[in-house]
Amino acid sequence: MRQYLQEIQIRKDLLVYLVQSGLKAENRNSYLGYFWWLLDPLLNVLVYYFLVGVLLDRGGDNFAVFLVIGLVAWRWINTTVNGSAKAILKYSSIINQVYLPKAIFPMTITSTQLINFAFGLIIIASFLIATGTVPGWQVIFLPVIILIQYVFLLAISLFLAYVAVFIRDVDNILSHVTRVFFYASPIIWEGGRLGPAAEDNVWIDILVTVNPIAHIVTGYRDILMEQSMPEWTGLLLIGFFSILAIVILIYYYSRNEHKIIKAL
């Protein structure tokens, strides 16, 4: 495994190149180009604000900020998960010609979407300024939550990229799985925002308690709009188990690279 990590370190320039090429490819044929990195999350916020806040009248106080934080955090999750299944498969022609550590490719997906998420933070900052919402000193912990989300998504990406090589149906299932998690997580809703009947609903409490996405999104909101400390126990557990999963998956990659090549 040490030798495998050294191979990844040696090819760090390739990782940087793949991230850069991935960013260029996302908007290569669009007229607005990189402006979509700002426009896409903004349009998502406007659509869901109209749906939930205007049509359903379930927005509540400061719902615009609540919504933009949830949707920007979710966008990073959604794009990474859906892109991970093809992370290795789309480079099969290169992999069959030259040896490369296969773990580099899912790392590329997660890192590329991290940069997209950084542009989403600009949209969040714009909403905070427009609504007069001032984060407290707790904002210094924002990089910690970003790091926790990064290792969480990296673990998922490594797993999905490997499994998809052998089970191609994974790619077709993921869009449905992510849709379930979107509505099962407090992205556009919060207990009281669903209505009075939801406030005492024990299933909603359980759903939020065991859902890592809920902890991450709520952590962002605590820091950026509630001026309070996030619930660190859940976040640190997510970070710990994500790092543990990454170590196990990297080890598994190092021992099974030949199986990936054969499957491709």
Side-chain angles (χ1 to χ4, degrees), residues 74 78 82 173-185:
W74 170 255
N78 185 49
N82 284 303
I173 296 172
L174 280 178
S175 61
H176 302 287
V177 173
T178 54
R179 189 177 298 116
V180 170
F181 270 96
F182 176 79
Y183 290 109
S185 305

Side-chain angles (χ1 to χ4, degrees), residues 3-245:
Q3 183 179 355
Y4 191 77
L5 290 174
Q6 290 174 346
E7 290 283 352
I8 294 176
Q9 173 66 22
I10 291 172
R11 289 171 170 81
K12 61 181 181 297
D13 291 340
L14 173 62
L15 178 60
V16 173
Y17 170 77
L18 290 175
V19 169
Q20 292 174 341
S21 61
L23 291 172
K24 293 177 182 178
E26 283 191 10
N27 301 302
R28 181 175 296 161
N29 297 319
S30 66
Y31 287 107
L32 296 179
Y34 298 128
F35 185 66
W36 276 110
W37 293 351
L38 297 173
L39 190 59
D40 184 65
L42 179 60
L43 291 176
N44 276 329
V45 172
L46 294 177
V47 168
Y48 282 104
Y49 185 86
F50 178 75
L51 175 64
V52 180
V54 177
L55 292 184
L56 300 179
D57 194 24
R58 298 289 176 84
D61 297 332
N62 215 8
F63 183 58
V65 175
F66 175 91
L67 193 58
V68 71
I69 293 172
L71 287 173
V72 168
W74 170 255
R75 185 169 178 265
W76 185 10
I77 296 169
N78 185 49
T79 52
T80 299
V81 170
N82 284 303
S84 295
K86 298 177 181 177
I88 294 176
L89 292 173
K90 70 178 182 180
Y91 293 106
S92 58
S93 59
I94 299 175
I95 291 172
N96 288 325
Q97 294 179 21
V98 61
Y99 170 74
L100 295 169
K102 311 307 178 290
I104 283 181
F105 301 107
M107 289 179 180
T108 298
I109 296 294
T110 311
S111 301
T112 300
Q113 298 308 322
L114 169 61
I115 296 174
N116 278 338
F117 173 77
F119 280 85
L121 290 177
I122 298 175
I123 300 299
I124 292 177
S126 301
F127 272 76
L128 291 174
I129 294 170
T131 59
T133 305
V134 180
W137 63 268
Q138 296 86 356
V139 74
I140 63 174
F141 292 105
L142 180 61
V144 178
I145 300 183
I146 294 174
L147 178 61
I148 290 172
Q149 184 174 357
Y150 180 82
V151 296
F152 170 68
L153 291 176
L154 179 56
I156 292 175
S157 188
L158 286 167
F159 174 75
L160 291 176
Y162 184 87
V163 171
V165 171
F166 303 96
I167 308 174
R168 305 297 171 91
D169 293 334
V170 169
D171 186 33
N172 298 323
I173 296 172
L174 280 178
S175 61
H176 302 287
V177 173
T178 54
R179 189 177 298 116
V180 170
F181 270 96
F182 176 79
Y183 290 109
S185 305
I187 308 300
I188 61 173
W189 59 264
E190 187 181 40
R193 299 178 191 267
L194 288 176
E199 292 182 356
D200 300 321
N201 193 319
V202 66
W203 291 108
I204 291 179
D205 291 337
I206 294 174
L207 196 63
V208 173
T209 301
V210 302
N211 187 347
I213 297 173
H215 285 278
I216 292 171
V217 173
T218 302
Y220 283 121
R221 288 176 177 144
D222 287 339
I223 286 175
L224 294 173
M225 64 179 291
E226 301 294 344
Q227 294 85 38
S228 63
M229 291 291 286
E231 200 280 300
W232 285 115
T233 302
L235 289 171
L236 292 177
L237 283 174
I238 293 169
F240 171 77
F241 284 110
S242 296
I243 293 172
L244 180 62

